[in-house]
Amino acid sequence: MADSNSESSPDARAGRPFPVSWDQFHRDCRALTWRLNDVGPFHAIIAITRGGLVPAAIVARELGIRIIDTVCIASYDHTSQGDLQVLKGVSPEVAKLGGGTGKGLLIVDDLVDTGATGRLVRQLLPDAHFATVYAKPKGKPLVDTFITEVSQDTWIHFPWDTALSFQPPIRP
Ligand SMILES: O=P(O)(O)OC[C@H]1O[C@H](OP(=O)(O)OP(=O)(O)O)[C@H](O)[C@@H]1O
Ligand code: HPA
Ligand SMILES: [Mg+2]
């Protein structure tokens, strides 16, 4: 990421952890779906891989959507963001359902951070509805629906990236 500001440098952000359990993540995805239920119906869901796969599965189950596509984008190597690479775009069948601009399609990702991924997704499908579970301030304007905002200098630790481990007591 081209962010030289020490407050939001990868190290600073990794230093302010926000761990999310499976239980919490499931609850947040359900809360997101309640909001999306008021916006739809949607023809199909597009999960932004890989982080969007888990929320997309939960949202699809709750909304009864069975057509699920992926847009495969990679950029972060742990906490540093490099150039975005679209490894796979929208499939022709799903692009057709969205009339070429994404109308009636629901894009799901786990979070927006700098907004770089969201901007790319919006270029691909300008009329789609873009939903994320979490949003940081820089990326928030790109998202149509999200559940929880965290500060820009926070690093969210998702349950699929973490494991339970011993923590020393606060007072040694
Ligand atoms: O708003 P941005 O600064 O672009 O960051 C948000 C994106 O970064 C993460 O994906 P990543 O590229 O790390 O790939 P992954 O989903 O495979 O973990 C996350 O899942 C979002 O897609
Ligand atoms: O805060 C985050 N957590 C996990 N992955 C991420 N990718 C961009 N920002 C984050
Ligand atoms: Mg991702």
Side-chain angles (χ1 to χ4, degrees):
M1 187 176 355
D3 205 336
S4 55
N5 170 344
S6 66
E7 199 24 35
S8 56
S9 70
D11 280 353
R13 294 159 57 196
R16 201 177 289 217
F18 180 90
V20 178
S21 66
W22 281 112
D23 193 44
Q24 182 65 49
F25 192 75
H26 194 181
R27 243 177 303 181
D28 289 341
C29 288
R30 280 234 173 93
L32 178 68
T33 316
W34 277 107
R35 289 198 184 160
L36 295 171
N37 193 36
D38 292 334
V39 182
F42 300 104
H43 307 303
I45 288 180
I46 297 169
I48 307 302
T49 74
R50 293 160 304 179
L53 287 167
V54 182
I58 296 166
V59 170
R61 186 267 177 185
E62 298 299 339
L63 293 181
I65 296 173
R66 289 182 182 271
I67 301 177
I68 299 160
D69 194 6
T70 54
V71 166
C72 305
I73 301 178
S75 66
Y76 281 85
D77 176 11
H78 188 38
T79 53
S80 351
Q81 191 172 32
D83 292 338
L84 264 65
Q85 292 177 62
V86 180
L87 306 172
K88 177 202 161 286
V90 186
S91 69
E93 294 94 328
V94 171
K96 205 166 151 194
L97 284 178
T101 63
K103 196 161 171 53
L105 302 181
L106 173 63
I107 302 170
V108 176
D109 206 350
D110 51 0
L111 84 151
V112 274
D113 186 323
T114 63
T117 306
R119 256 186 297 281
L120 185 57
V121 160
R122 283 238 168 266
Q123 278 168 17
L124 294 175
L125 297 164
D127 293 334
H129 190 93
F130 182 33
T132 64
V133 188
Y134 305 110
K136 300 189 192 180
K138 280 188 187 168
K140 200 171 82 164
L142 292 151
V143 186
D144 295 304
T145 307
F146 69 94
I147 284 298
T148 302
E149 180 171 356
V150 300
S151 64
Q152 199 66 44
D153 58 354
T154 291
W155 191 262
I156 301 171
H157 291 279
F158 288 108
W160 51 89
D161 285 332
T162 53
L164 287 178
S165 67
F166 173 77
Q167 295 293 305
I170 292 171
R171 190 182 169 103

